[in-house]
Amino acid sequence: MLEADCASVLPRLPAGAFELIYIDPPFNTGQRRRRRRLAVARDDDGDRTGFGGHRYRTQALGETLHYEDSFEDYVAFLRPKLERARELLAPEGTLYVHLDYREAHYVKVELDRIFGRDCFLNEIIWAYDYGAKPTRRWPAKHDTILVYVRNPGEQLFDAEAVEREPYMAPGLVGPRKAARGKRPTDTWWHTIVPTSGRERTGYPTQKPEGVLRRIVAASSRPGGWCLDFFAGSGTLGEVCEQLGRRYVLVDSSPQAIAVIRARLAAATGDAC
Ligand SMILES: C[S@@+](CC[C@H](N)C(=O)[O-])C[C@H]1O[C@@H](n2cnc3c(N)ncnc32)[C@H](O)[C@@H]1O
């Protein structure tokens, strides 16, 4: 795990070493990514209504800035990192680039240019349903994950290692198939990280382990090397621990590195 601008780390990593590179760069939302810390207490005169209709009072405890998410030329920011990512992939390696609707189409054109159109493998849509819903347009509730391979046809892809999911209409396929479930397609319905529970670190933009588990299971082997150079809370590392892969995580934010350190210490049973 490295606290550094990935631009300075990528040239020092060994070419051809990684079976899987997953990156979830800042989305260019134009926002500063912060975590607000609130204390909530029962109060009949409180400012919000919670579970069971009870009133609660919230008190702001402060904010932690995690990272800036605004770039004048987003593609220019990513281009050299994507070019180097291609060189870092093993011959059977795969790159997953996690984006939202603001930049996905620009980055896809750039990836076609860098890898070649024949190296495009998939566009995965991760659909979720949470948070505010504007009423003047369709609420945007999906991310796009672009998938490119180093050499078409040579990529690792273990379809059987991916957890199956329930059929949408199990009555149409018969009881045996329904019990076994189906292989996921390129459209993944998956909840966001639950607001409470083991998985949640509090890092803004943390991605769910379930989404990363599919990627790691399909596109790397046990013991293989995986890389995330916009690591955030370290979801790729956590999943690699669970599935027995080796990994390198890089993030320029000291807060991210602190979160990763605590998370992986819990995952591996090491003291911080
Ligand atoms: C969208 S978040 C990643 C979230 C992560 N996938 C997770 O599940 O927690 C993007 C991360 O990129 C980091 N970042 C931004 N610019 C960077 C750079 N030049 N080098 C390394 N990390 C950078 C930010 O600090 C932030 O943690």
Side-chain angles (χ1 to χ4, degrees), residues 89-257:
L89 284 176
E92 69 280 31
T94 308
L95 170 70
Y96 287 75
V97 184
H98 192 140
L99 300 155
D100 82 354
Y101 61 90
R102 292 177 190 85
E103 300 292 344
H105 49 305
Y106 298 114
V107 176
K108 183 164 191 291
V109 170
E110 193 59 24
L111 283 165
D112 279 349
R113 200 190 57 74
I114 294 169
F115 278 75
R117 289 179 73 162
D118 56 334
C119 294
F120 168 72
L121 190 72
N122 276 119
E123 177 181 73
I124 295 168
I125 300 299
W126 166 37
Y128 43 85
D129 200 1
Y130 178 82
K133 291 204 175 119
T135 53
R136 305 276 301 157
R137 60 183 166 94
W138 302 107
K141 298 292 172 191
H142 79 276
D143 288 359
T144 301
I145 305 175
L146 300 174
V147 189
Y148 282 74
V149 297
R150 183 73 169 84
N151 291 304
E154 289 181 34
Q155 71 275 6
L156 289 172
F157 193 84
D158 187 350
E160 291 307 317
V162 177
E163 257 176 49
R164 290 178 167 257
E165 60 183 15
Y167 281 93
M168 276 185 174
L172 296 180
V173 295
R176 209 169 59 85
K177 272 190 156 183
R180 191 159 176 245
K182 68 176 179 70
R183 288 202 293 116
T185 66
D186 60 359
T187 304
W188 299 356
W189 278 95
H190 195 291
T191 55
I192 60 160
V193 177
T195 47
S196 61
R198 177 197 62 77
E199 191 175 331
R200 185 174 164 76
T201 64
Y203 196 76
T205 69
Q206 178 186 349
K207 300 302 179 297
E209 288 173 20
V211 168
L212 272 287
R213 201 172 298 119
R214 284 184 176 176
I215 292 172
V216 172
S219 297
S220 68
R221 288 176 283 226
W225 280 99
C226 303
L227 168 65
D228 182 351
F229 51 84
F230 291 106
S233 66
T235 310
L236 179 81
E238 167 79 42
V239 169
C240 284
E241 285 289 346
Q242 293 167 10
L243 299 183
R245 270 64 166 176
R246 292 179 283 179
Y247 53 91
V248 176
L249 303 177
V250 182
D251 201 289
S252 54
S253 151
Q255 290 97 334
I257 296 298

